[in-house]
């Protein structure tokens, strides 16, 4: 059977889109995690340095 449109084994329609979607979600989650952690560290350092003290 030459010229058949069987495609690669294991490929489904939309399977190519599923991979990059998970990669994008993982990158966005990692970026948010880094941003939140750095903000918390900055707040902790500022608080320990007395920058939030009213007196």
């Amino acid at each position: 059977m030459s010229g058949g449109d069987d495609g690669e084994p294991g490929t489904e329609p939309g399977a190519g889109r599923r991979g990059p979607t998970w990669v994008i979600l993982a990158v966005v989650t990692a970026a948010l995690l880094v941003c939140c952690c750095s903000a918390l560290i900055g707040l902790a350092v500022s608080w320990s340095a007395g920058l939030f003290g009213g007196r």
Side-chain angles (χ1 to χ4, degrees), residues 3-35:
D5 194 46
D6 295 335
E8 294 293 322
T11 57
E12 301 171 4
R17 299 177 78 184
R18 222 172 289 140
T21 302
W22 285 112
V23 171
I24 290 169
L25 285 175
V27 169
V28 169
T29 302
L32 286 172
L33 184 66
V34 168
C35 187

